[in-house]
Amino acid sequence: MPVTKPHLATAEAERAAAPLAVVALPEIEAAAARIAGRVVRTPLVTSPALSRLCGQPVHLKLETRQPIGAFKLRGAMNAVLALSDEQHRRGLVTASTGNHGRAVAYTARELGFAATICMSALVPSNKVEAIRALGAQVRIVGRSQDDAQAEVEWLVAEHGLIQIPPFDQPDVVAGQGTIGLELVEDLPDLSCVLIPLSGGGLAAGIAVAVKALRPSTRIVGISMERGAAMAAAIAAGRPVEVVEEETLADSLGGGIGLYNRVTFALCRDLIDEVVLLSEAEIAAGIRHAALVENEVVEGAGAVGIAALLAGKLSLHGPAALIVSGRNIDEAMHRRIVSGAAT
């Protein structure tokens, strides 16, 4: 049974009262050492088509090459490996829009732990079934990330499970930040990074690493027009509630938490620009990835490509965009690529 909203509010208030956690370059470097050999050091490849379009070298960071098909494995693996043996034995739990749940399920299977993944009814069925295939218990609760998170809070309180948050947790952020280390190593003259923006774990982690090593590099967060929680929070200057809507970029859905402790402040301070995309623009990014780059990419992973195709930002030097995931429903992907769906 899901926990009531008052219980969820109490849990969030307790987290808000805790000391602010710091994620800096040393934590990201430690994460890189911890997860080495357990996640893929993904390739950074040049896109000739996007480079011609933008008049600058454009490179794709293919997190689609991770075993689960998405970047989320970095943060989940780092967070789980940082736990004690006693915490491992209690079992893991998380709320997810799909890819983080898959990452926790994969990590739990690889390390021999039990995992429960809570998701809303908005999560595509292909992502739900992929998590079940990894051996995790799945709970479908409500129609929002908040509803799924409420179930997590109940399971933590009643059964003592250990929560692996999808983004607002220092070890998760540090794990995602390892992408930033790889970007700077592979592209020393990096001028701009285009990052899918949702709860902010990916954007915050990469921004911390890149800004520490290359302070002049421009960080651009990209999201959808429908219910972009972090974008709304940055605009308001504080975490705010948003209505979660169906979108092709489903992995970017969900709120950031009104008592956000880590990612909001980092995104607010380190992101230089936020770009929002229509559903048609996201679909165009998915089509380009398939037809031109020969990559199967989900909506969230295609937003960097989409922003460039739509002419929503200009480049002034070598750029890297994070292709964050490939886990799109096959039938939906065929409809989008054929032009039958926007």
Side-chain angles (χ1 to χ4, degrees):
M1 61 178 288
V3 69
T4 60
K5 288 291 184 180
H7 289 146
L8 178 56
T10 298
E12 288 185 334
E14 288 173 352
R15 286 197 294 272
L20 281 172
V22 175
V23 179
L25 186 60
E27 286 75 31
I28 296 173
E29 291 173 333
R34 187 178 290 127
I35 66 178
R38 296 187 180 275
V39 305
V40 174
R41 191 191 192 286
T42 54
L44 184 69
V45 302
T46 303
S47 168
L50 293 175
S51 298
R52 287 193 298 270
L53 174 69
C54 298
Q56 297 289 345
V58 175
H59 307 269
L60 311 179
K61 181 64 168 169
L62 297 177
E63 286 299 299
T64 51
R65 299 295 192 266
Q66 294 295 349
I68 65 162
F71 77 95
K72 287 283 191 176
L73 184 59
R74 295 173 183 263
M77 184 67 74
N78 188 52
V80 173
L81 288 174
L83 297 174
S84 68
D85 290 342
E86 187 276 332
Q87 289 173 311
H88 290 153
R89 287 191 292 270
R90 289 161 60 183
L92 311 175
V93 66
T94 194
S96 175
T97 54
N99 285 333
H100 176 68
R102 197 167 183 169
V104 172
Y106 177 91
T107 299
R109 188 190 69 177
E110 291 297 297
L111 301 179
F113 311 133
T116 300
I117 314 300
C118 301
M119 294 177 285
S120 82
L122 291 181
V123 176
S125 60
N126 67 300
K127 294 186 175 183
V128 175
E129 293 310 312
I131 289 170
R132 286 198 174 105
L134 288 168
Q137 180 183 0
V138 172
R139 291 181 177 233
I140 305 299
V141 183
R143 290 188 58 80
S144 74
Q145 181 80 338
D146 285 344
D147 293 333
Q149 182 61 36
E151 183 76 352
V152 169
E153 301 290 352
W154 181 79
L155 290 168
V156 169
E158 294 297 317
H159 298 285
L161 302 186
I162 298 299
Q163 181 178 180
I164 307 296
F167 54 87
D168 194 40
Q169 199 263 16
D171 292 323
V172 171
V173 173
Q176 320 304 22
T178 60
I179 296 173
L181 300 181
E182 295 173 16
L183 288 176
V184 172
E185 182 176 342
D186 291 347
L187 193 62
D189 57 347
L190 180 64
S191 171
C192 180
V193 188
L194 284 63
I195 310 172
L197 180 62
S198 180
L202 178 64
I206 292 175
V208 167
V210 170
K211 290 286 191 181
L213 298 169
R214 298 289 185 273
S216 63
T217 299
R218 180 177 165 212
I219 303 294
V220 180
I222 308 174
S223 198
M224 65 286 177
E225 292 175 348
R226 295 181 176 179
M230 184 61 79
I234 292 173
R238 58 181 175 82
V240 294
E241 290 185 346
V242 298
V243 176
E244 191 170 344
E245 301 180 56
E246 291 191 24
T247 171
L248 291 176
D250 55 271
S251 293
L252 302 185
I256 69 166
L258 294 180
Y259 297 97
N260 185 289
R261 300 295 293 166
V262 182
T263 59
F264 168 68
L266 290 172
C267 288
R268 178 197 61 201
D269 296 344
L270 298 177
I271 291 178
D272 297 298
E273 182 180 356
V274 174
V275 172
L276 299 182
L277 300 169
S278 70
E279 295 300 294
E281 288 166 341
I282 296 169
I286 295 171
R287 278 194 296 273
H288 175 95
L291 300 176
V292 180
E293 311 294 345
N294 294 314
E295 296 287 340
V296 174
V297 178
E298 63 187 88
V303 295
I305 294 172
L308 295 179
L309 293 177
K312 291 199 167 181
L313 55 96
S314 57
L315 302 179
H316 306 285
L321 61 87
I322 311 303
V323 184
S324 57
R326 67 168 186 252
N327 299 318
I328 186 171
D329 177 77
E330 291 182 6
M332 173 60 76
H333 186 259
R334 287 194 296 270
R335 290 197 296 273
I336 292 171
V337 172
S338 70
T342 58

